[in-house]
Amino acid sequence: MLFTQMNESRLVIKLDGIWNFVLGGAELDESLCEKAFEQCEKIYVPASYNDQKADIKLRDHYGWVYYQTSFPLPPIPCERLVLRFGAVTHRCRVYLNGNEIAEHVGGFLPFEAELDMSALSANNLLTVAVDNRIDFSTLPVGNEDSRAMFGSGLPDYESVRKTTLKPRNNPNFDFFNYSGIHRSVSLYTTPKEYIKDVEVVTEINGADALVRISAELSGDGGAEVSILDAEGKTVANGSCESPITITNVRLWQPGKAYLYTAKIVYKNDVYYQKFGVRSVEIKGSRFLINGRDFYFKGFGKHEDSITLGRGINEAQNVKDISLMRLLGANSFRTSHYPYSEEMLNLCDEEGIVVIAETPAVGLGTKSYGKTADTHRAVIRDMISRDKNHPCIVMWSLANEPDTECEQAYEYFMPLYSLAHEADPQSRPVTVVVCNNNYTKDKVAPAMDVICANRYYGWYIFGGDLDAAKQAMTAELDYFEQFGKPFMITEYGADAVSGIHQAVPAMFSEEYQAEYYKCINSVLDKYAYVVGEHAWNFADFQTVQGTMRVDGNKKGLFTRDRRPKLAAHYFRERWTDIPDFGYKK
């Protein structure tokens, strides 16, 4: 699915702004979707609805909510009109003038519906019903057993739940279940015969590059292609399907991005697809970008900001990449779901390397039999959307699933093959693991890169950094036998901003910094370790719990982006570690 753009053949109209809003219940009420709301609140789109009002009913809502707006349609020359949603979390149904026109499952990828022009009027009523419920079949996964939330210590807890407790979501993941219309809602036009999709594959050939551009078209005939450099000058011409040569090519490099643009022309339609020329390759235990040994320096991250929740925040994206550069970071993982197209476009421009991850969080024996179809669809849709981004160098199929159980290998290996088949660039594929007994892991050694989350010194051997160092050493000794690149994709310790101690102890800023120094001293000893992603870039919101003080405090920055002591430590460390050639 193509990202929306306004050009000489296409018009884009955003419907973002203040919409009408109604809280619903566990069952869909279609009567609310058939006409204008009689009573409602105001809500901003795009954003999570949870934190926009000082109201616990929105914060802890369970079930359906209803959004509504109206839009006039001026007399514009238009052969085809499409309604597009960037993301709606987690499930939704869309109604136009009382008629259902779309349904979508999955909260982090776009969907669209072509509109019947004859059914439109001068003023049109758009209603979106959104369901935020999670269970063993959804991605991410929600628990269905009340004991997981209330504990088995309650006497006759099941009768308490049934008689006095309202139903509520019980996430099997450690971030807040923000919901709503999270990314932009747009109308866009195309000619009657149009470009449906574009695929770009590049191959470096000495000082030149071969570029293969494929276009999915709505009708017969072919498409012509012009390649423009970063200054807009035409450097090559050709047609779709036939290789095009760029002489004296400039490569897309981490920290030094260079983008070309493919101008695709099909009859009366035009689409401009930016791309970078770069290679990604695994050789033994080495991770290569453009044939050079690359070392990942960066973070796990979240789309999470005050008021907007998980809603798109482009100003925050600009700020975050600026802070990454300040620390000498070169990469991040889209933990734990596909991020907005706007963020990936920015990473393309800024030269930030990305590991793109599906929303498969919390998978285990109870969910493996229920999530497979949804998981396959998400992998296909994520790669279809993001295949042309040079910033993406690896796909992550899941975060911290149970990979010790017998079903794990049979579950993940078909998904591993699917990811390689779906990606025209066949980037490396991984599953991010975190097991109590890594020697029993059935999936990590089969991936292209072994990616592990590990918290020695925090959840295991909390407060004992000597033990943490020994445990980390033992684990790296074990994984070295597989001869593959290893990356630590999460490691960290909570630090409450402002807590300082002369003798570092847990939850102080000093302990967080000492923790990272300890684990990094181990990582630096192993040549097959190709990267380190601290958990987390910034503090983020979670469900309430005795382990969380206003959210997860493992950020190197506070939620409002104030640096902690560990951020300054990483700035010194990462500015001294080169992007390429570290640990030669």
Side-chain angles (χ1 to χ4, degrees):
M1 186 183 300
L2 293 174
F3 186 58
T4 56
Q5 66 176 227
M6 191 179 309
N7 60 36
E8 56 264 47
S9 68
R10 297 180 173 222
L11 176 68
V12 179
I13 304 170
K14 284 198 173 184
L15 301 182
D16 300 349
I18 303 296
W19 290 37
N20 293 329
F21 182 80
V22 172
L23 281 176
E27 301 299 325
L28 176 69
D29 185 353
E30 286 201 272
S31 67
L32 286 169
C33 307
E34 295 170 352
K35 58 183 179 180
F37 298 153
E38 294 180 2
Q39 292 183 324
C40 61
E41 300 182 76
K42 299 296 181 182
I43 209 84
Y44 179 73
V45 172
S48 304
Y49 59 75
N50 307 84
D51 287 348
Q52 289 195 51
K53 301 287 181 87
D55 189 341
I56 196 170
K57 292 179 181 179
L58 272 74
R59 176 70 174 172
D60 294 338
H61 181 68
Y62 174 87
W64 293 89
V65 299
Y66 304 85
Y67 291 81
Q68 195 171 83
T69 191
S70 59
F71 61 90
L73 195 63
I76 55 175
C78 176
E79 295 180 315
R80 181 173 175 269
L81 184 64
V82 182
L83 175 65
R84 188 184 196 272
F85 292 83
V88 181
T89 310
H90 294 280
R91 176 177 150 214
C92 73
R93 297 172 106 174
V94 181
Y95 300 78
L96 184 61
N97 296 327
N99 299 307
E100 185 176 349
I101 60 168
E103 182 176 8
H104 189 257
V105 175
F108 305 96
L109 291 168
F111 64 96
E112 61 186 29
E114 184 174 346
L115 303 185
D116 180 357
M117 301 287 287
S118 65
L120 298 175
S121 61
N123 198 45
N124 299 279
L125 185 68
L126 177 62
T127 308
V128 184
V130 183
D131 184 3
N132 77 339
R133 290 173 296 173
I134 49 176
D135 55 32
F136 288 145
S137 69
T138 60
L139 297 178
V141 172
N143 291 301
E144 297 173 5
D145 187 345
S146 61
R147 285 172 292 188
M149 177 171 289
F150 300 111
S152 57
L154 277 172
D156 196 15
Y157 62 86
E158 195 63 30
S159 64
V160 171
R161 182 186 69 82
K162 289 179 178 178
T163 57
T164 64
L165 298 174
K166 295 180 181 179
R168 60 195 300 183
N169 281 308
N170 182 12
N172 195 29
F173 49 89
D174 188 29
F175 52 94
F176 193 81
N177 185 39
Y178 281 117
S179 300
I181 302 176
H182 278 153
R183 297 172 191 157
S184 286
V185 184
S186 303
L187 293 166
Y188 74 89
T189 69
T190 73
K192 184 177 180 180
E193 296 183 281
Y194 62 99
I195 301 162
K196 299 174 71 173
D197 197 16
V198 173
E199 177 181 294
V200 182
V201 178
T202 65
E203 179 183 344
I204 301 170
N205 185 16
D208 303 334
L210 288 178
V211 182
R212 292 176 176 84
I213 309 244
S214 302
E216 184 182 354
L217 308 173
S218 66
D220 297 332
E224 298 300 313
V225 179
S226 300
I227 305 294
L228 314 178
D229 64 15
E231 289 72 43
K233 178 183 176 183
T234 300
V235 295
N237 290 293
S239 60
C240 283
E241 311 302 340
S242 298
I244 301 171
T245 298
I246 302 177
T247 59
N248 298 316
V249 68
R250 294 184 62 176
L251 300 182
W252 188 95
Q253 302 271 18
K256 192 177 180 181
Y258 189 90
L259 294 177
Y260 291 90
T261 300
K263 178 183 179 181
I264 301 104
V265 179
Y266 171 61
K267 298 186 178 179
N268 293 324
D269 195 19
V270 179
Y271 193 81
Y272 294 85
Q273 178 65 59
K274 289 189 176 182
F275 68 94
V277 178
R278 60 102 184 87
S279 65
V280 178
E281 185 182 6
I282 303 293
K283 274 192 175 181
S285 62
R286 302 161 64 198
F287 193 103
L288 308 178
I289 297 180
N290 298 334
R292 302 166 67 195
D293 290 271
F294 179 72
Y295 191 78
F296 293 84
K297 303 176 294 180
F299 322 86
K301 205 175 177 298
H302 268 296
E303 289 184 320
D304 175 281
S305 62
I306 297 168
T307 305
L308 293 179
R310 193 132 292 123
I312 185 170
N313 189 334
E314 293 200 72
Q316 190 75 76
N317 291 344
V318 171
K319 176 72 171 180
D320 286 357
I321 288 180
S322 173
L323 291 173
M324 290 180 206
R325 289 192 175 282
L326 179 70
L327 267 60
N330 57 23
S331 56
F332 68 86
R333 175 170 57 119
T334 71
S335 46
H336 301 296
Y337 36 81
Y339 285 8
S340 71
E341 293 157 283
E342 289 85 350
M343 181 55 153
L344 296 178
N345 290 338
L346 188 58
C347 291
D348 288 341
E349 298 278 356
E350 295 284 346
I352 299 295
V353 171
V354 175
I355 300 171
E357 188 163 86
T358 76
V361 192
L363 291 173
T365 55
K366 293 181 179 180
S367 57
Y368 278 144
K370 299 180 179 181
T371 57
D373 289 343
T374 301
H375 205 161
R376 282 192 290 269
V378 165
I379 290 169
R380 283 192 295 264
D381 291 349
M382 178 181 73
I383 294 176
S384 176
R385 188 196 74 165
D386 297 337
K387 59 185 176 292
N388 295 324
H389 288 287
C391 67
I392 295 176
V393 300
M394 183 157 56
W395 307 110
S396 170
L397 304 181
N399 179 74
E400 296 189 3
D402 179 357
T403 47
E404 293 179 29
C405 68
E406 291 302 323
Q407 303 111 295
Y409 186 85
E410 293 181 359
Y411 181 90
F412 277 106
M413 292 316 295
L415 299 180
Y416 168 87
S417 298
L418 172 63
H420 273 294
E421 292 164 5
D423 181 13
Q425 298 182 23
S426 194
R427 297 167 178 87
V429 175
T430 192
V431 170
V432 174
V433 301
C434 184
N435 287 309
N436 293 327
N437 188 344
Y438 50 82
T439 66
K440 294 183 178 180
D441 193 294
K442 295 174 171 58
V443 174
M447 296 294 110
D448 299 323
V449 179
I450 298 172
C451 290
N453 301 341
R454 190 49 75 191
Y455 289 93
Y456 300 125
W458 189 253
Y459 296 121
I460 302 172
F461 305 125
D464 187 344
L465 295 181
D466 289 334
K469 184 180 293 188
Q470 293 177 44
M472 193 74 246
T473 299
E475 182 163 346
L476 289 176
D477 284 344
Y478 173 79
F479 277 120
E480 192 170 21
Q481 67 182 300
F482 298 103
K484 293 189 174 185
F486 177 96
M487 179 176 175
I488 190 163
T489 36
E490 287 184 25
Y491 64 128
D494 284 77
V496 179
S497 179
I499 293 183
H500 293 283
Q501 294 174 332
V503 179
M506 295 174 74
F507 289 99
S508 69
E509 291 190 42
E510 284 76 12
Y511 184 83
Q512 186 186 46
E514 290 302 315
Y515 165 93
Y516 279 120
K517 291 177 184 178
C518 167
I519 301 301
N520 289 341
S521 71
V522 179
L523 300 179
D524 286 342
K525 295 178 181 178
Y526 292 83
Y528 85 112
V529 173
V530 297
E532 57 196 59
H533 273 182
W535 186 260
N536 186 285
F537 173 75
D539 296 344
F540 58 92
Q541 198 54 260
T542 65
V543 296
Q544 298 183 69
T546 54
M547 291 178 62
R548 298 287 172 251
V549 184
D550 188 31
N552 191 306
K553 292 293 189 288
K554 291 187 183 67
L556 300 185
F557 295 90
T558 63
R559 200 176 184 210
D560 60 352
R561 278 35 180 191
R562 296 175 184 270
K564 301 177 190 176
L565 189 62
H568 297 288
Y569 157 69
F570 270 111
R571 185 182 185 186
E572 291 182 6
R573 172 176 171 80
W574 285 342
T575 52
D576 285 342
I577 294 176
D579 293 342
F580 293 102
Y582 187 53
K583 298 184 177 182
K584 270 191 174 180

